[in-house]
Amino acid sequence: MTTITEQFADLQETDFVNAANGLRSRPQPSIMETMTSPQEDREPRWPAMLALLAVGGLRFVLPPALAWGPEWLILVAVVVLLIPTVTARMRGNHTLNQVLGYLTTSIVTLDMCWSLYLLIAALPSHKEPPQTLLISAAALWITNILVFASWYWRLDAGGPRAREIRGVHTDGAFLFPQMTLDQKSRKEMGEDTWNPGFVDYLFLAFNTSTAFSPTDVPVLSRWAKMLMMVQALISFATVALLAARAVNIL
């Protein structure tokens, strides 16, 4: 006759075997499902990369006197930095990906500011033809939009990686209209997992350069207000330069 202790031990062993069999029969996730959660890698990065490449392409419009170094320098620098940036993201090294993204955006920002300085300095000297100055100012105005859209996209709510992990964008430096909807309205509109993409920040940067202020997206963070002030100032200087030169031509 078995004792109570032996019966309890047999019962524990039976439960352990049944649990092990249940785990083996349960479908296991694949390697890709383990490495990538449903909330990750939802936002495409190619619009941001295309914007940086466009900035490098716009530099070919500037004359040599309004740019530092050869005309292909920035485009080559962007391409060289984008290759390890994409590689780091594919390998899961998101810290390196973020640092390289900041470095690339900083380079094009500094180059744009230097070209704008040279453009303003060249205005009184009349060394450049009026048509060249007007085309250069227009190229820098477009560059200003693309550069600051890249900064807003990279900095808001910790960047695209942090927004993906968070899943739903409910807090950030900018109050997008989708963020003001209640949960029921979001679900009805199919925006229950809405996150801002690069196009949203591009639209914000475009409005800042044209209206010199945000339109439908209020600014909440102080760093974002400072950046938008700088962008509006650059845009105003460029537009004022265009207007002044046009009046001078007439």
Side-chain angles (χ1 to χ4, degrees):
M1 183 175 181
T2 59
T3 62
I4 298 177
T5 304
E6 292 174 345
Q7 291 178 355
F8 181 73
D10 293 339
L11 181 60
Q12 282 186 323
E13 183 178 359
T14 302
D15 293 339
F16 177 78
V17 172
N18 292 334
N21 292 332
L23 288 175
R24 283 194 295 266
S25 61
R26 183 181 303 171
Q28 299 298 318
S30 62
I31 297 178
M32 293 303 297
E33 292 175 344
T34 305
M35 294 177 60
T36 307
S37 66
Q39 296 180 346
E40 295 178 354
D41 298 335
R42 297 188 307 170
E43 182 179 345
R45 302 298 198 271
W46 65 265
M49 294 188 293
L50 185 61
L52 293 176
L53 292 174
V55 171
L58 285 170
R59 203 172 186 269
F60 285 87
V61 180
L62 302 179
L66 301 183
W68 180 83
E71 57 188 7
W72 47 262
L73 180 62
I74 294 301
L75 182 59
V76 171
V78 169
V79 172
V80 169
L81 289 173
L82 282 181
I83 293 175
T85 302
V86 175
T87 303
R89 180 171 177 264
M90 293 176 61
R91 295 183 176 180
N93 193 343
H94 300 288
T95 301
L96 179 60
N97 174 271
Q98 189 176 31
V99 171
L100 290 175
Y102 288 154
L103 178 61
T104 308
T105 311
S106 299
I107 290 175
V108 297
T109 303
L110 293 175
D111 182 75
M112 177 194 66
C113 293
W114 179 249
S115 296
L116 180 63
Y117 165 75
L118 294 178
L119 180 64
I120 296 175
L123 184 61
S125 62
H126 300 282
K127 292 182 179 180
E128 297 294 334
Q131 184 178 1
T132 301
L133 291 177
L134 292 175
I135 295 176
S136 301
L140 288 176
W141 186 80
I142 298 174
T143 301
N144 183 40
I145 296 176
L146 297 176
V147 166
F148 279 92
S150 299
W151 279 120
Y152 301 148
W153 177 76
R154 290 193 179 279
L155 296 176
D156 186 30
R161 171 66 179 175
R163 293 193 297 268
E164 286 176 343
I165 295 176
R166 197 174 295 112
V168 181
H169 189 72
T170 57
D171 187 20
F174 307 100
L175 184 63
F176 291 96
Q178 290 85 344
M179 299 168 59
T180 61
L181 300 175
D182 54 63
Q183 188 175 2
K184 182 180 179 180
S185 299
R186 278 192 176 189
K187 191 173 182 180
E188 291 176 353
M189 297 176 61
E191 302 287 354
D192 49 335
T193 58
W194 181 86
N195 261 323
F198 184 81
V199 175
D200 298 292
Y201 296 103
L202 181 63
F203 181 72
L204 173 65
F206 177 81
N207 290 336
T208 304
S209 289
T210 52
F212 307 117
S213 63
T215 53
D216 63 333
V217 182
V219 189
L220 306 179
S221 176
R222 292 178 179 176
W223 67 260
K225 293 178 181 179
M226 294 298 297
L227 272 185
M228 296 191 74
M229 289 172 60
V230 174
Q231 183 194 354
L233 180 61
I234 294 175
S235 179
F236 178 77
T238 307
V239 172
L241 177 62
L242 285 168
R245 197 58 186 169
V247 171
N248 189 24
I249 293 174
L250 296 175

